[in-house]
Amino acid sequence: MRSRPERGEGTQHLRRGELLGLAWDDIDQAAGELNVSWQLQRIGRQLVRRETKTAESDASMPLPDICRTALAIRQAEQRADMKAAGEVWQKSPLVFTTRFGTPIEPRNFNRAWEARIRRYGLRQITPHGARRTCASILADLDVHPRVAMQILRHADFKVTMEIYTRVSSKQTREALKRLGDRMNGTESA
């Protein structure tokens, strides 16, 4: 039986475990879709690829062009890794692997994330924080909260709205200006 996901899990649209458990068979580049139904988890001393925790986590999602491009680059990188590793390459269906084809340790994913942030001089943000940022950007883009909930694959609307979404100062100013215009009778149609 599937249990509910733990609060605080995740990264971007995909949770960290879902990203690390993603296999090439889960991606249809021609159709531009990604099927999420697997995750990579550490259980005891082993990394195990298993079904996602909840039916709400399972989804077929459209892939934006930027993601399709990134996946094509990843596929080329993986082929180069396979060639360089030669006989020590571990055959794997996973999209994200080490340079030897083995699954990526979740802690090492976090370390690599932090290293890239430092390398590019970006503001420090956790993988989970990036998922929150996605929710806030969706709110800034006036994406309906139910659609944001579906994109983030939350089972509970409250999780999307109360935990993930942050309203920007710009959005707050625009709302207050519209409210003031309405109260003054100067709002345009």
Side-chain angles (χ1 to χ4, degrees), residues 118-133:
R118 283 191 303 276
R119 183 181 330 145
Y120 295 110
L122 301 173
R123 180 176 62 90
Q124 285 293 328
I125 187 171
T126 65
H128 185 71
R131 193 165 154 86
R132 288 176 186 251
T133 298

Side-chain angles (χ1 to χ4, degrees), residues 9-12 14-23 26 36-42 47-53 94 96 104-106 109-110 127 131 153:
E9 289 182 336
T11 181
Q12 297 127 2
L14 298 181
R15 295 168 180 89
R16 179 181 65 184
E18 293 167 346
L19 182 71
L20 296 178
L22 187 64
D26 299 327
V36 178
S37 57
W38 294 92
Q39 62 184 331
L40 187 72
Q41 285 190 324
R42 172 158 293 292
L47 288 175
V48 178
R49 186 172 183 247
R50 62 187 224 170
E51 290 184 26
T52 55
K53 290 183 180 182
L94 298 176
F96 299 101
I104 294 176
E105 171 68 46
F109 172 84
N110 288 354
R131 193 165 154 86
R153 292 172 346 281

Side-chain angles (χ1 to χ4, degrees), residues 45-105:
R45 293 181 173 219
Q46 282 192 309
L47 288 175
V48 178
R49 186 172 183 247
R50 62 187 224 170
E51 290 184 26
T52 55
K53 290 183 180 182
T54 66
E56 290 85 3
S57 292
D58 294 353
S60 180
M61 300 170 34
L63 282 170
D65 288 341
I66 192 170
C67 294
R68 293 170 80 173
T69 300
L71 285 166
I73 291 168
R74 176 63 198 134
Q75 197 166 39
E77 290 172 344
Q78 197 173 56
R79 284 187 192 123
D81 287 344
M82 187 183 331
K83 185 176 180 181
E87 291 181 16
V88 296
W89 179 261
Q90 302 290 309
K91 187 174 180 182
S92 170
L94 298 176
V95 173
F96 299 101
T97 59
T98 68
R99 61 187 174 155
F100 300 110
T102 57
I104 294 176
E105 171 68 46

